[in-house]
Amino acid sequence: MSDAFTTRMIDVATGSSETVHDLTPACESFLREAARDRDGLLHVFVPHATAGVALIETGAGSDDDLLAALHALLPADDRWQHRHGSPGHGRDHVLPAIVPPYATVPVIGGRMQLGTWQSVCLVDTNRDNPDRQVRLSFLG
């Protein structure tokens, strides 16, 4: 693999409750090694059918607001055709259509060019899968 493209899979323990997990520190750590002060793109991908990646403010209630909005849009009840797992689990399979399983962030001088309050977050409403993987890729 050339220096122009570097990729790594990281493990994220999300536990047994719905969560918005901040991936920003892991992305920054990856870029220190992979980008080495170069310009390019960071691509964050979740290879799961029931999780997504969002750029959102964390720690000020926005993460809880996102989960509340997802509850309103995708209630955990028996309306879903996909019925294995916890009650309402079918909604978890619809989540990636609303919160996509990827995000791409510009990198300048080895640093993500996020807005002041933006963080890269894993959004996981699936209480049945407490362990996730996230692929971080740098192209530069």
Side-chain angles (χ1 to χ4, degrees), residues 9-133:
M9 193 74 83
I10 62 171
D11 295 317
V12 178
T14 56
S16 60
S17 60
E18 298 177 0
T19 189
V20 176
H21 180 88
D22 191 351
L23 297 170
T24 307
C27 293
E28 290 169 340
S29 176
F30 170 71
L31 287 173
R32 278 192 294 278
E33 180 182 322
R36 298 185 312 277
D37 298 324
R38 293 181 293 156
D39 299 346
L41 296 172
L42 171 67
H43 188 74
V44 182
F45 175 71
V46 180
H48 296 281
T50 59
V53 176
L55 300 180
I56 188 169
E57 178 180 11
T58 60
S62 296
D63 37 357
D64 291 333
D65 289 342
L66 174 58
L67 291 175
L70 290 172
H71 270 276
L73 289 170
L74 305 170
D77 58 22
D78 64 356
R79 73 183 68 200
W80 308 101
Q81 298 298 310
H82 187 104
R83 293 184 187 262
H84 77 81
S86 297
H89 174 66
R91 73 172 185 132
D92 299 326
H93 287 275
V94 177
L95 173 77
I98 296 170
V99 180
Y102 59 87
T104 302
V105 179
V107 175
I108 306 296
R111 300 192 61 181
M112 289 185 290
Q113 298 301 294
L114 295 170
T116 301
W117 303 112
Q118 286 180 315
S119 295
V120 180
C121 296
L122 170 65
V123 179
D124 187 3
T125 59
N126 182 358
R127 297 180 312 254
D128 296 337
N129 189 351
D131 300 304
R132 297 302 188 153
Q133 292 186 314

